[in-house]
Amino acid sequence: MTEPTEPATSSSNPSPMGPTAPSATDPTTLVHPRRELFEHGLLPIPKLIFSDPTQTLIPLKQKLLEQSSNQRVDSASIAESLQISIDHARLVLDTLASVLPSDSEPLVTAKPGENDAVGVDVFDLVLFLYVQSYKKLLPRTHKDSAAVSDVWPSTSAFDGYLSALSPLQLVRSNSRRFMPSQADEEAHQLSYLQKHLANILSLLAEPVEGEGEGEESLVITMDRFEHLGFLVHFGDKGSGGNSLSQMSPFFANSDPDMPAVPVPAAHVHDWLLQNIASALEHISERTSSKENGPASASDQDVAMTDACALKVSTGTRGATFIEGISKLSYVKHASDIKGSSIKVLNCQESAIYVLAPLRYATVYGCSDATIVLGAVGKAVRVEHCERVHVIVAAKRVCIANCRECVFFLGVNQQPLVIGDNHKLQVAPYNTFYSQLEAHMNEVGILPTVNRWDEPLALGMVDHHDSLSHPAGVSDAQAESATQVDPDQFTNFVIPNWLGGESTGSTENNPFTLPDAYMASQLRNQKNLGEIRQLLREAPLEESRKKELSSALHVYFKDWLYASGNIRQLYCLQGE
């Protein structure tokens, strides 16, 4: 099975001869790509991106299976087979763990540091490596570029650094383009799977003994079929729905006590092609009806930079969007979040609090804002942001194409830094709210492991994303992040009026601060206590004490501006 390996953007309809696909009008039985894989599972490591994935991965699969007694391999085997460093091999394992669909998968349930002992299933690995050939959808011309330029900031202090445009300029203004909608991206991902499906199935199929060679002799067992759940799922519930085999006509009624009969790979190929064609037709019809009808404020497919007036929307497949917040303080609690992921898009000059347990989080295109994310058990991606402070407890964090941003992290894996970044800073986690530890326990984040100070920088060029670099730029290493000076480290106080729906047991930062930061914190607390004591004991009239207190607040605010800690003004407002 060989096909061209370049990603497709068209959606030509196949003429399958296999089982009938579900009706395109029934969204509960439509096939969807697993967006988490495409949004959080792509690594800009050149040696993982093959010009002909099938020719490379079939012998690689055989080699890895021969080396393993249980069909699982560790980072040493991955490093040796792919000729990559052991650090990059461990990154592959960590990334795979964050995007696998099953919460019962051993690699997903492994504690920090145990991934090598558990290993990854060879078939999940080869599918992951195949998808590294995917290229993201190109932006398209905005229908009202002038309006976007009027709304969003268009200046940057770093003109001429690699690209003549800052991340926000590139995405919002001078590029005169805007990012694809959710429907556009899903159609692009489905089209990619549609074009490469034959090659993908060849990685899972096995020949029938005595049947000769060729495509007609290949079959797929039920176990191998389930690995396709890494790429697609049926219905609106995502990976929380039924197993893929139960949605198919091949294995749905299999006796659990009897091994299911393998299915010809050609039948699986035809059936999936028909389902993908039905899904693409549904997306096309839905998009057409929206373009011809009135816009809806709850439309999950609103283009990112069209969201200036839109505050919050909920996608039908379990994602909550916070878009276009400007010059506000905004909070979302667990009861406000529909589904397991959040996307904070194109917000500016605001303080945004998402105090909830999540699986995935994306922060995109924000500027001059503070964003507090509760507990994110799978992965966080922060991209195309400027002058943003992100405070998050997470298992995994990826930072791409950002400038002058500060990240206060409680993170169980090394922070990943990719793309064109400038003047990034990292610091230990610096806040808490009453339900934080309960939320961390719910999504599996360990407060005893914090690798905030171990950022791993990959290449400046993201081969999956045409926006991340101008043509012809060599793949130099991305600029990493420096550590915030302990003397500049401050606690972030979540305002009292954001207390939440119910009380919790967290009364302090659950992550232990390094000694230097702890000493700075204690010193600041001591100084503040001494100042308060002096104010109380000063032989002044109450009116004069109030004047002195107000003057101190003014000087403190001036210090916040000068030190870059201006976001702490939100703390003052909440006290």
Side-chain angles (χ1 to χ4, degrees), residues 158-319:
F158 300 101
D159 289 340
Y161 180 79
L162 181 63
S163 168
L165 303 177
S166 77
L168 294 183
Q169 286 176 298
L170 187 63
V171 172
R172 293 173 175 162
S173 303
N174 295 348
S175 65
R176 301 185 67 81
R177 296 177 180 272
F178 79 113
M179 298 309 295
S181 71
Q182 300 293 303
D184 289 337
E185 290 181 343
E186 180 160 319
H188 185 64
Q189 291 158 10
L190 283 173
S191 295
Y192 170 84
L193 295 174
Q194 180 186 58
K195 184 166 187 176
H196 293 268
L197 185 58
N199 289 339
I200 290 169
L201 290 177
S202 70
L203 296 174
L204 301 177
E206 56 187 25
V208 178
E209 292 185 10
E211 295 292 330
E213 298 181 355
E215 297 180 9
E216 64 279 358
S217 67
L218 296 177
V219 297
I220 293 180
T221 64
M222 181 174 171
D223 176 68
R224 302 279 181 87
F225 183 84
E226 283 289 3
H227 287 284
L228 290 170
F230 185 53
L231 305 175
V232 297
H233 66 85
F234 281 85
D236 293 336
K237 293 185 179 181
S239 56
N242 294 326
S243 68
L244 196 66
S245 61
Q246 295 306 305
M247 297 298 295
S248 75
F250 311 114
F251 306 109
N253 299 314
S254 299
D255 186 341
D257 297 324
M258 295 288 291
V261 177
V263 177
H267 290 182
V268 176
H269 180 257
D270 290 345
W271 177 74
L272 279 173
L273 278 184
Q274 189 170 356
N275 275 276
I276 291 173
S278 296
L280 287 168
E281 180 182 354
H282 178 76
I283 292 173
S284 177
E285 292 174 352
R286 187 179 60 183
T287 303
S288 177
S289 65
K290 287 174 183 175
E291 289 176 350
N292 297 328
S296 168
S298 62
D299 179 14
Q300 77 179 86
D301 295 324
V302 64
M304 290 181 180
T305 48
D306 279 338
C308 306
L310 179 64
K311 302 306 179 190
V312 177
S313 60
T314 302
T316 58
R317 287 176 44 221

Side-chain angles (χ1 to χ4, degrees), residues 10-216:
S10 63
S11 57
S12 58
N13 292 335
S15 300
M17 300 177 62
T20 303
S23 168
T25 60
D26 183 1
T28 63
T29 57
L30 283 172
V31 69
H32 299 279
R34 286 198 64 250
R35 295 183 60 86
E36 301 89 348
L37 174 61
F38 295 98
E39 293 175 359
H40 298 277
L42 301 178
L43 293 173
I45 300 176
K47 287 189 176 181
L48 301 186
I49 303 170
F50 310 113
S51 58
D52 189 340
T54 312
Q55 291 286 359
T56 305
L57 292 176
I58 287 181
L60 175 68
K61 176 190 70 174
Q62 297 300 332
K63 178 180 179 181
L64 292 174
L65 288 174
E66 290 169 2
Q67 292 177 353
S68 171
S69 60
N70 62 353
Q71 198 175 293
R72 304 184 77 87
V73 292
D74 60 12
S75 59
S77 296
I78 295 172
E80 189 273 330
S81 299
L82 294 172
Q83 293 298 294
I84 59 177
S85 70
I86 192 68
D87 286 341
H88 285 180
R90 291 192 182 109
L91 177 61
V92 168
L93 280 183
D94 290 345
T95 306
L96 262 165
S98 71
V99 296
L100 285 168
S102 173
D103 288 336
S104 61
E105 156 65 35
L107 187 61
V108 175
T109 59
K111 294 180 180 179
E114 294 181 354
N115 282 355
D116 268 330
V118 172
V120 63
D121 186 286
V122 170
F123 293 96
D124 289 332
L125 175 62
V126 295
L127 292 182
F128 172 82
L129 293 174
Y130 192 101
V131 172
Q132 299 305 310
S133 67
Y134 175 79
K135 287 190 180 294
K136 297 175 185 176
L137 182 60
L138 288 171
R140 51 193 171 94
T141 303
H142 197 283
K143 61 186 177 184
D144 191 3
S145 299
V148 173
S149 297
D150 288 341
V151 170
W152 295 111
S154 60
T155 60
S156 173
F158 300 101
D159 289 340
Y161 180 79
L162 181 63
S163 168
L165 303 177
S166 77
L168 294 183
Q169 286 176 298
L170 187 63
V171 172
R172 293 173 175 162
S173 303
N174 295 348
S175 65
R176 301 185 67 81
R177 296 177 180 272
F178 79 113
M179 298 309 295
S181 71
Q182 300 293 303
D184 289 337
E185 290 181 343
E186 180 160 319
H188 185 64
Q189 291 158 10
L190 283 173
S191 295
Y192 170 84
L193 295 174
Q194 180 186 58
K195 184 166 187 176
H196 293 268
L197 185 58
N199 289 339
I200 290 169
L201 290 177
S202 70
L203 296 174
L204 301 177
E206 56 187 25
V208 178
E209 292 185 10
E211 295 292 330
E213 298 181 355
E215 297 180 9
E216 64 279 358

Side-chain angles (χ1 to χ4, degrees), residues 211-522:
E211 295 292 330
E213 298 181 355
E215 297 180 9
E216 64 279 358
S217 67
L218 296 177
V219 297
I220 293 180
T221 64
M222 181 174 171
D223 176 68
R224 302 279 181 87
F225 183 84
E226 283 289 3
H227 287 284
L228 290 170
F230 185 53
L231 305 175
V232 297
H233 66 85
F234 281 85
D236 293 336
K237 293 185 179 181
S239 56
N242 294 326
S243 68
L244 196 66
S245 61
Q246 295 306 305
M247 297 298 295
S248 75
F250 311 114
F251 306 109
N253 299 314
S254 299
D255 186 341
D257 297 324
M258 295 288 291
V261 177
V263 177
H267 290 182
V268 176
H269 180 257
D270 290 345
W271 177 74
L272 279 173
L273 278 184
Q274 189 170 356
N275 275 276
I276 291 173
S278 296
L280 287 168
E281 180 182 354
H282 178 76
I283 292 173
S284 177
E285 292 174 352
R286 187 179 60 183
T287 303
S288 177
S289 65
K290 287 174 183 175
E291 289 176 350
N292 297 328
S296 168
S298 62
D299 179 14
Q300 77 179 86
D301 295 324
V302 64
M304 290 181 180
T305 48
D306 279 338
C308 306
L310 179 64
K311 302 306 179 190
V312 177
S313 60
T314 302
T316 58
R317 287 176 44 221
T320 297
F321 294 74
I322 300 175
E323 306 184 52
I325 301 295
S326 179
K327 299 181 180 179
L328 293 174
S329 291
Y330 191 87
V331 62
K332 298 286 283 185
H333 294 291
S335 61
D336 305 317
I337 304 296
K338 306 301 181 185
S340 58
S341 64
I342 192 93
K343 294 191 176 184
V344 182
L345 312 172
N346 297 335
C347 297
Q348 59 173 330
E349 298 181 55
S350 297
I352 296 170
Y353 307 86
V354 183
L355 309 181
L358 302 161
R359 290 169 66 87
Y360 297 96
T362 299
V363 178
Y364 185 98
C366 296
S367 62
D368 302 288
T370 291
I371 298 168
V372 182
L373 302 174
V376 186
K378 292 288 190 178
V380 177
R381 185 177 179 91
V382 183
E383 187 171 10
H384 287 298
C385 291
E386 287 186 353
R387 299 175 300 279
V388 169
H389 284 195
V390 177
I391 305 172
V392 60
K395 187 165 289 183
R396 172 182 176 79
V397 173
C398 178
I399 304 162
N401 306 308
C402 293
R403 297 191 183 183
E404 297 182 90
C405 294
V406 186
F407 300 87
F408 298 87
L409 303 176
V411 60
N412 289 168
Q413 297 177 7
Q414 286 183 275
L416 183 62
V417 180
I418 62 176
D420 175 11
N421 300 283
H422 198 50
K423 289 195 173 181
L424 302 184
Q425 290 182 285
V426 292
Y429 194 73
N430 68 338
T431 194
F432 69 91
Y433 58 96
S434 63
Q435 295 173 290
L436 175 59
E437 287 172 296
H439 290 168
M440 289 171 59
N441 289 334
E442 183 175 337
V443 298
I445 298 170
L446 296 181
T448 55
V449 178
N450 192 359
R451 304 183 69 181
W452 68 273
D453 56 345
E454 304 175 42
L456 175 62
L458 295 185
M460 186 179 293
V461 174
D462 184 351
H463 300 278
H464 308 103
D465 185 0
S466 299
L467 270 183
S468 69
H469 62 282
V473 174
S474 61
D475 190 14
Q477 184 174 346
E479 180 179 324
S480 190
T482 61
Q483 296 181 18
V484 169
D485 188 322
D487 289 337
Q488 300 295 322
F489 178 80
T490 56
N491 282 333
F492 186 89
V493 180
I494 295 177
N496 294 332
W497 52 270
L498 300 181
E501 318 103 332
S502 61
T503 59
S505 61
T506 303
E507 298 180 350
N508 293 287
N509 183 347
F511 294 92
T512 300
L513 288 177
D515 291 343
Y517 292 89
M518 178 62 75
S520 176
Q521 182 186 70
L522 294 175

